[in-house]
């Protein structure tokens, strides 16, 4: 193990003193609702708006970000945790200049880091903060400890739903856990694979009604992405939809959403949201969740 790169103490130093960074988690509870495709394409659309975007793959599932984009990861976050690589060394170059932090079993392990791994991660994120404006985190399905720790650490939470009965119940279960146990109160909702505008609005209303009744949470509708065969075709070609079929219905909808996301205010804090994100991520570790 090579710890040469680590700082002497665990103080991350002045991190991102000038520019706040937007940290956005994409989640949804249910599997297969389109979280990874939306994370990838929203990241590229934000990059097309001239934002510097890092997409972190926090899912070890089969349809990983790197697979979807035809990228090959030589090193992963595990190499960062053992101090042998910096985050810059493991970043993959994606379309439109986005950078991808590939998934690895280290992601799972972020909820139980040793002090040395903890220090390595703080150092690595300190380095990363100079490289980006937006960090998008693609999460796994479900409400595992890993999913919750990433989502509660983010500044913005996007919940992806689609018109399947378990999608709304799974999204509700996740929102309830985040809201009642972890103090997350603001959620943005995307309805994916919709067959009409109204279907998206109905899905949002259904989820909003139950949250309104039982939780102290605020849900905001970000919009819908229509069902579009081009998404599947792009996946088969290992290309991002937004580049494979830039004028498709789904790509157009995603671009409109990226413009909205770009307008979301970022609270200007002295040290930026990347540090906030990391503190929260590591606090989840310390508190056992
Ligand atoms: N708008 C859409 N129109 C048509 N098909 C879509 C759309 N969005 C996603 N899909 C398809 O749905 C499938 C699941 O998408 P994706 O892998 O992005 O979901 P996920 O939520 O990340 O899944 P997992 O929970 O397994 O990580 C893919 O085959 C993709 O092609
Ligand atoms: Mg996925």
């Amino acid at each position: 193990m090579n710890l040469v790169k680590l700082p002497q103490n665990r103080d991350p130093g002045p991190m991102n003193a000038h520019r706040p960074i937007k940290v956005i988690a994409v989640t949804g509870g249910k599997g297969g609702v389109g979280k990874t495709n939306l994370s990838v394409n929203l990241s590229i659309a934000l990059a097309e708006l001239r934002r510097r975007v890092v997409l972190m793959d926090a899912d070890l599932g089969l349809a990983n970000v790197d697979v979807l984009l035809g990228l090959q990861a030589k090193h992963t976050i595990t190499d960062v945790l053992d101090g042998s690589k910096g985050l810059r060394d493991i970043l993959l170059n994606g379309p439109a200049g986005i950078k991808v932090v590939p998934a690895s079993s280290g992601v799972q392990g972020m909820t139980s880091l040793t002090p040395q791994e903890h220090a390595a991660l703080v150092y690595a994120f300190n380095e990363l903060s100079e490289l980006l404006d937006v960090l998008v985190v693609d999460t796994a399905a479900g409400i595992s400890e890993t999913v919750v720790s990433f989502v509660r650490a983010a500044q913005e939470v996007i919940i992806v739903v689609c018109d399947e009965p378990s999608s709304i119940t799974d999204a509700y279960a996740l929102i309830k856990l985040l809201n009642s146990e972890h103090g997350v109160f603001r959620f943005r909702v995307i309805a994916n694979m919709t067959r009409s505008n109204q279907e998206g609005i109905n899905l949002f209303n259904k989820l909003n009604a139950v949250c309104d009744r039982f939780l102290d949470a605020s849900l905001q509708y970000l919009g819908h992405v229509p069902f579009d065969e081009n998404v599947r075709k792009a996946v088969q070609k290992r290309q991002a939809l937004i580049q494979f079929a830039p004028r498709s219905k789904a790509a157009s909808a995603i671009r409109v959403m990226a413009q909205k996301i770009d307008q979301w205010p970022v609270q200007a804090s002295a040290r930026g949201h990347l540090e906030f994100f990391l503190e929260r991520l590591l606090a989840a570790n310390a508190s056992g969740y």
Side-chain angles (χ1 to χ4, degrees):
M1 185 157 42
N2 169 16
L3 292 176
V4 171
K5 284 182 154 194
L6 296 184
Q8 289 304 299
N9 58 40
R10 288 172 44 191
D11 177 1
M15 183 184 274
N16 184 39
H18 312 296
R19 260 177 325 97
I21 292 166
K22 235 173 235 175
V23 182
I24 304 168
V26 180
T27 190
K30 187 175 168 9
V33 291
K35 298 177 292 294
T36 302
N37 272 283
L38 286 172
S39 300
V40 164
N41 287 289
L42 282 171
S43 294
I44 296 169
L46 284 162
E48 288 175 351
L49 295 173
R50 298 181 178 274
R51 301 297 163 201
R52 295 172 305 162
V53 183
V54 173
L55 170 56
M56 182 164 185
D57 187 352
D59 182 8
L60 286 171
L62 289 175
N64 273 338
V65 170
D66 51 346
V67 174
L68 227 58
L69 291 174
L71 305 172
Q72 286 201 329
K74 283 204 205 90
H75 302 287
T76 68
I77 211 111
T78 310
D79 302 300
V80 175
L81 293 178
D82 75 13
S84 60
K85 294 270 178 266
L87 260 182
R88 281 171 201 248
D89 306 323
I90 69 160
L91 291 178
L92 303 172
N93 290 314
I98 70 164
K99 308 276 183 202
V100 176
V101 182
S104 81
S105 52
V107 162
Q108 237 57 1
M110 278 201 206
T111 51
S112 55
L113 298 178
T114 65
Q116 273 170 340
E117 289 171 334
H118 181 122
L121 201 63
V122 171
Y123 185 68
F125 270 77
N126 199 1
E127 265 194 312
L128 188 66
S129 68
E130 291 151 27
L131 294 180
L132 80 167
D133 302 309
V134 186
L135 175 67
V136 176
V137 184
D138 175 30
T139 69
I143 52 174
S144 67
E145 208 177 296
T146 307
V147 169
V148 170
S149 67
F150 273 101
V151 175
R152 71 191 281 279
Q155 175 202 359
E156 297 283 355
V157 180
I158 295 179
I159 303 281
V160 184
V161 292
C162 67
D163 192 15
E164 286 176 34
S166 59
S167 173
I168 294 293
T169 47
D170 288 2
Y172 176 69
L174 176 62
I175 292 172
K176 184 179 173 195
L177 177 66
L178 290 163
N179 183 242
S180 53
E181 305 282 327
H182 301 283
V184 183
F185 66 93
R186 187 180 57 205
F187 300 87
R188 319 273 189 168
V189 178
I190 296 179
N192 190 26
M193 302 191 231
T194 56
R195 303 280 176 180
S196 68
N197 289 5
Q198 196 55 45
E199 184 187 301
I201 294 166
N202 292 347
L203 273 173
F204 173 75
N205 286 343
K206 226 187 265 182
L207 183 62
N208 195 33
V210 63
C211 290
D212 216 30
R213 183 149 173 225
F214 299 110
L215 306 176
D216 181 23
S218 153
L219 269 61
Q220 287 162 26
Y221 188 46
L222 185 51
H224 73 280
V225 178
F227 183 90
D228 190 332
E229 270 305 327
N230 287 301
V231 179
R232 214 171 301 274
K233 287 183 194 158
V235 171
Q236 276 165 5
K237 294 247 177 213
R238 291 190 160 200
Q239 279 181 30
L241 166 81
I242 215 153
Q243 296 210 317
F244 172 76
R247 275 183 263 282
S248 60
K249 284 183 298 178
S252 306
I254 289 169
R255 257 194 237 98
V256 171
M257 282 176 191
Q259 273 161 0
K260 287 193 194 169
I261 291 172
D262 200 42
Q263 299 299 315
W264 290 346
V266 192
Q267 275 177 335
S269 73
R271 294 190 295 179
H273 275 95
L274 203 58
E275 187 180 57
F276 173 77
F277 174 70
L278 190 62
E279 275 171 5
R280 299 271 308 189
L281 198 59
L282 298 175
N285 174 27
S287 69
Y289 207 140

